Amino acid sequence: DTGVSQNPRHKITKRGQNVTFRCDPISEHNRLYWYRQTLGQGPEFLTYFQNEAQLEKSRLLSDRFSAERPKGSFSTLEIQRTEQGDSAMYLCASSLTLGGATNEKLFFGSGTQLSVL
Amino acid sequence: RKEVEQDPGPFNVPEGATVAFNCTYSNSASQSFFWYRQDCRKEPKLLMSVYSSGNEDGRFTAQLNRASQYISLLIRDSKLSDSATYLCVVSGATNKLIFGTGTLLAVQP
């Protein structure tokens, strides 16, 4: 399967614990996005990378959230000291953006469903 | 004001009907526009890009109005399989892609 892969598919944790999610993008894609989605809402932007550089992080994101893409391939999203409000689907997407091209198409993984008890 | 706004619906239409969704965006400098489709409990998938001149793909037509900062999606001859949430996506100030809340379409037999 050469699509975007996310692990784990589901994560149940207790409030206060740390969790880490992994995303493996499509191999030739240089951009990688993290989004969060709750029921009845569209995906909410969290952060994105171009190769290994983190270009932007949402101002709505607290310091408990951190993301890395150390070699410009896979990415991890860590949430420290989880809260019940962190419960959501965490979606990863990748795209290939060339030069100043604006026609960027995202390919999503199946997501990681986080439940904080 | 949200950067991308959509009517959440739901839109309940009979098979064969024509239905239109609108989406407004706040950043006049946005360059890229898309419609994504999301089935229940699935990830979003690209439905179509939206070009300045308007574009059509089978029963689906997308249009962009830069002056009024809105995009639209028209679905003709609705099928049961069109039932899904339709997400409007616009590039933001730093070229990140921003999603609307989505519009739920339910096509009834």
Side-chain angles (χ1 to χ4, degrees), chain B residues 46-91:
Chain B
L46 179 66
L47 178 66
M48 58 197 304
S49 302
V50 186
Y51 302 116
S52 297
S53 54
N55 48 300
E56 189 174 307
D57 182 2
R59 299 182 292 110
F60 298 82
T61 300
Q63 295 201 318
L64 167 64
N65 185 319
R66 285 188 185 273
S68 300
Q69 293 181 211
Y70 79 81
I71 67 174
S72 64
L73 177 68
L74 183 77
I75 306 175
R76 291 181 299 277
D77 188 23
S78 300
K79 312 290 185 189
L80 292 176
S81 58
D82 294 334
S83 297
T85 296
Y86 291 83
L87 297 158
C88 173
V89 184
V90 176
S91 63

Side-chain angles (χ1 to χ4, degrees), chain B:
Chain B
R1 181 186 174 187
K2 288 187 176 179
E3 292 181 88
V4 180
E5 295 202 61
Q6 294 182 251
D7 181 343
F11 283 58
N12 294 299
V13 302
E15 272 186 290
T18 295
V19 61
F21 308 135
N22 287 329
C23 165
T24 58
Y25 60 95
S26 60
N27 184 0
S28 59
S30 294
Q31 294 292 321
S32 302
F33 309 90
F34 308 90
W35 284 101
Y36 277 71
R37 170 190 169 133
Q38 186 171 27
D39 293 299
C40 188
R41 301 185 185 280
K42 297 286 188 181
E43 71 274 18
K45 292 185 178 178
L46 179 66
L47 178 66
M48 58 197 304
S49 302
V50 186
Y51 302 116
S52 297
S53 54
N55 48 300
E56 189 174 307
D57 182 2
R59 299 182 292 110
F60 298 82
T61 300
Q63 295 201 318
L64 167 64
N65 185 319
R66 285 188 185 273
S68 300
Q69 293 181 211
Y70 79 81
I71 67 174
S72 64
L73 177 68
L74 183 77
I75 306 175
R76 291 181 299 277
D77 188 23
S78 300
K79 312 290 185 189
L80 292 176
S81 58
D82 294 334
S83 297
T85 296
Y86 291 83
L87 297 158
C88 173
V89 184
V90 176
S91 63
T94 55
N95 288 325
K96 66 179 183 283
L97 295 181
I98 302 168
F99 285 72
T101 54
T103 297
L104 179 62
L105 171 65
V107 181
Q108 313 290 338

